[in-house]
Structure formats: C-alpha cells, structure tokens
C-alpha cells in the first residue's frame, strides 16, 4: 500500500478552511496532518473536520516538521513566491494557490529551485483536474465542433463591500485578473493547447486594483474575448464556437458551487448533447493527482511551465492595457 501524503497548510485562510482543507482530508492517499497558525480559534475550525491535526505556531515550524511531505500555500498573493521557495528549500513538495507569482520571471525562479531540489511544485489551478475540462479538450481535439473559430468567456462576482479583502488591496497583489483572469485565460490555453499571438485589455481601475477587465486576443486559428469583474453580479460561462457546433461550459470554474458542472455540445440541426458531472470535486481530484505524482511519478496535470504561460499573458495585458 502506498504511504499517504502527509499535508501541512501554511495559514488558516478561509479558502483553505472551506475548500482545500476538507479536500485534503477527503482525498484518497492524503492526510491533513498539520496547520500553521497563531490563532487557536482558527485552528479549531480545521480540527472540527480533522481532529488529529497538529498545530504549529508559525510557518517555519511547519516547514521544519519532518513528518510533513507536502505543503499547501493559501497565503495572500504577494507572499506566494516567498513561501513556495521556502517550502522547496525545506525539501517539501508544494502546491501553491493561484497566482503562484505576480510576474512570469518569478516563476522562472521557482522552476529553477524546483529542479535544483528535485521536488514537486505546482500552482493549485484546480479546474484542469475536473473531468468537464478534459472532455472539452477532447471534443475540440476530436473535431466535434469542426474548426474552432471563437472562444468567449466570463467570470464575475461582487466584493465591493469587502474593503479589507486581499483581492481589493494593491499591496497584497489583488485585482480581478490575478484572482479570476487566470481562469478565463488558463482554461482556453488548456482546452486548445494554444498560446495567444496578440492579447490586450481595457481595464477599469479602483484604488490601485483592476476591478474589471475586458480581454481580446488572437490565437492561432481562432479569436478570443472575455471579461472578468469583481464589481458585477455572480456569473461564469465559457463557450467554444466552431464551424459546425459549439461547446458551452455552464459552471466552468466553481463547479458544484456556482452550479452543477455541465458541458453542452450544440451540433447541427439544433441537436444538443449534454454531459453532467454532479459529483466531481476538482479540489479532491487535484490533491489525489498531486499525490500520485509525488508517490508514483505520474506526470502532474498542471506544470509550472503551463502556469508560466498564463502569467506571461497576464503580464502582457498589464503592460499594454488601456484604462477605462
């Protein structure tokens, strides 16, 4: 029997408490073993579903724990590079929340550290582990919609009232593009295997962060348009329009939260083929796939090199954006 991967979490973030902590606890081949936080109250919320959880008073103590195999980093964006590099230096495998870095060149440093240490390191880009996105990729590759002509995407929510939220603070690496733009861009790169030739955006700035961005791009053989916003009603959708049909993904990024994961293939004659995924949990699948890569050497489904490609696109957008 393969030894379970013993996980530690750096920080008692809300997202870790509500999603990734329970996912690690539920995943086969994984054990949520430790948490680093100075708050016993926050630790208690994790111990409620993982009673045997060991609590370290600080991040360095968790990294020094010889019983921890892998570290999950859900810290604010501007802290990701520092603590990912520290985890690698401690010899731990590391899964860091997106965006793993704020610039592509910072990912180069992580790749170099990963290769030097010989450990597994990746960004927690969970959607690529969901079977709905693997189906979208297969349908496009197999010509189910003919030749791809245009991709359209949207992802929005409203957190304008949460003035202290790290997403609304420039100093913590906030902004819509870094928080959710990675999904509308990364998903099309994953589904098509293509990189943008040209890309740009019109951005609405709010106290130093991009609260809205309308993105336009050209990829080899198809065009692309999307928008992301932290000041609009809750919505998400992706569609891939080809010469003979369209693929529509109804809950592309928060499957099971925004709604049931469903992929529709709209074919000629108004024929619709629909595939539902009512029970798939991409967070659990992400942990399990990470564990298989760590224990069995199976290639991981979201490499740092792939992550770097999305960050390159974001860097290009920020460098050339037009302000609204």
């Amino acid at each position: 029997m393969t030894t379970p991967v013993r996980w530690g979490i750096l920080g008692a973030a809300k997202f870790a408490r509500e999603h990734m902590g329970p996912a690690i606890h539920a995943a086969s081949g994984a054990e949520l073993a430790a948490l680093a936080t100075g708050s016993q109250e926050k630790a208690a919320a994790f111990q409620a579903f993982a009673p045997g959880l060991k609590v370290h008073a600080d991040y360095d103590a968790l990294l020094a724990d010889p019983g921890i195999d892998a570290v999950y980093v859900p810290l604010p964006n501007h802290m990701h590079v520092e603590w990912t590099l520290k985890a690698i230096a401690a010899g731990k495998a590391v899964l860091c929340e997106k965006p793993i870095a704020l610039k592509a060149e910072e990912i180069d440093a992580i790749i170099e550290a990963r290769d030097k240490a010989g450990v597994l390191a990746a960004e927690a880009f969970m959607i690529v582990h969901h079977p709905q996105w693997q189906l979208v990729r297969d349908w496009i590759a197999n010509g189910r919609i003919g030749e791809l002509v245009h991709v359209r995407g949207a992802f929005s929510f409203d957190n304008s009232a949460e003035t202290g939220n790290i997403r609304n603070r420039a100093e913590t690496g906030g902004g819509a593009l870094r928080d959710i733009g990675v999904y509308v861009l990364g998903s099309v790169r994953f589904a098509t295997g293509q990189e943008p030739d040209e890309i740009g955006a019109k951005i609405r700035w709010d106290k130093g962060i991009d609260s809205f961005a309308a993105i336009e791009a050209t990829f080899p053989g198809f065009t692309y348009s999307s928008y992301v916003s932290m000041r609009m009603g809750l919505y998400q959708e992706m569609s891939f329009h080809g010469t003979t049909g369209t693929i529509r993904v109804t809950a592309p990024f928060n499957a099971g939260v925004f709604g049931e994961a469903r992929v529709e293939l709209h074919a000629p004659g108004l024929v619709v083929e629909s595939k539902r995924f009512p029970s798939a949990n991409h967070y659990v699948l992400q942990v399990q796939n990470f564990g298989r890569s760590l224990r069995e050497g199976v290639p991981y489904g979201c490499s740092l090199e792939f992550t770097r490609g999305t960050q390159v696109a974001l860097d290009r957008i920020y460098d050339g954006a037009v302000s609204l």
Side-chain angles (χ1 to χ4, degrees):
M1 179 180 294
T2 303
T3 304
V5 175
R6 288 175 54 83
W7 286 83
I9 300 178
L10 294 186
K14 177 182 177 182
F15 185 81
R17 182 181 74 244
E18 294 182 351
H19 296 287
M20 279 299 293
I24 294 170
H25 184 65
S28 62
E31 178 186 347
L32 180 54
L35 171 71
T37 179
S39 169
Q40 185 52 50
E41 180 181 357
K42 291 181 178 180
F46 286 80
Q47 291 171 321
F49 60 83
L53 189 71
K54 182 178 182 179
V55 179
H56 291 284
D58 59 63
Y59 305 154
D60 287 311
L62 187 148
L63 294 184
D65 188 337
I68 297 302
D69 305 307
V71 173
Y72 169 62
V73 181
L75 300 171
N77 293 346
H78 71 298
M79 301 174 67
H80 287 176
V81 173
E82 175 188 0
W83 287 99
T84 294
L85 290 174
K86 285 184 176 181
I88 291 172
K92 310 298 187 185
V94 56
L95 183 65
C96 179
E97 260 313 315
K98 52 78 199 159
I100 197 171
L102 303 183
K103 290 283 187 180
E105 62 201 42
E106 296 177 321
I107 300 177
D108 293 334
I110 297 173
I111 290 173
E112 182 180 357
R114 175 203 67 185
D115 293 345
K116 182 178 179 180
V119 300
L120 177 61
E123 181 182 71
F125 192 57
M126 75 292 183
I127 67 168
V128 301
H129 303 279
H130 199 291
Q132 69 172 348
W133 278 108
Q134 292 158 19
L135 178 64
V136 171
R137 182 179 57 181
D138 290 345
W139 276 356
I140 292 172
N142 294 332
R144 294 294 304 276
I145 57 171
E147 296 295 324
L148 183 60
V149 177
H150 185 70
V151 179
R152 182 181 61 189
F155 195 0
S156 65
F157 63 92
D158 182 11
N159 71 349
S160 56
E162 302 173 31
T163 55
N165 190 301
I166 59 173
R167 296 167 181 82
N168 284 322
R169 296 167 57 195
E171 65 271 23
T172 55
L177 283 167
R178 287 175 175 142
D179 188 48
I180 55 180
V182 292
Y183 293 119
V184 295
L185 288 169
S187 63
V188 69
R189 292 181 57 248
F190 176 78
T192 66
Q194 299 290 344
E195 303 292 348
D197 294 321
E198 299 178 3
I199 190 166
K202 294 181 179 179
I203 292 178
R204 182 172 295 117
W205 298 94
D206 183 355
K207 298 180 180 178
I209 59 99
D210 50 298
S211 61
F212 170 88
I215 309 162
E216 298 285 340
T218 58
F219 286 75
F222 65 94
T223 55
Y224 166 91
S225 63
S226 68
Y227 65 86
V228 294
S229 176
M230 302 192 303
R231 302 291 185 267
M232 296 170 66
L234 187 65
Y235 184 70
Q236 56 185 261
E237 185 176 352
M238 291 290 294
S239 64
F240 298 79
H241 198 161
T243 53
T244 62
T246 302
I247 297 169
R248 177 173 175 256
V249 191
T250 62
F253 311 125
N254 294 124
V257 177
F258 179 75
E260 181 184 72
R262 187 174 78 251
V263 181
E264 300 171 352
L265 177 63
H266 295 252
L270 300 180
V271 175
V272 179
E273 178 181 341
S274 182
K275 178 70 174 178
R276 299 166 56 247
F277 301 89
S279 60
N281 184 313
H282 47 201
Y283 300 116
V284 172
L285 293 171
Q286 176 178 243
V287 173
Q288 291 176 171
N289 289 339
F290 192 93
R292 279 192 285 270
S293 294
L294 185 60
R295 291 291 189 236
E296 303 169 22
V298 177
Y300 189 60
C302 188
S303 69
L304 287 176
E305 287 77 6
F306 174 86
T307 294
R308 187 185 187 280
T310 300
Q311 188 59 53
V312 166
L314 288 175
D315 290 349
R316 291 172 64 188
I317 287 173
Y318 280 124
D319 289 343
V322 175
S323 296
L324 291 172

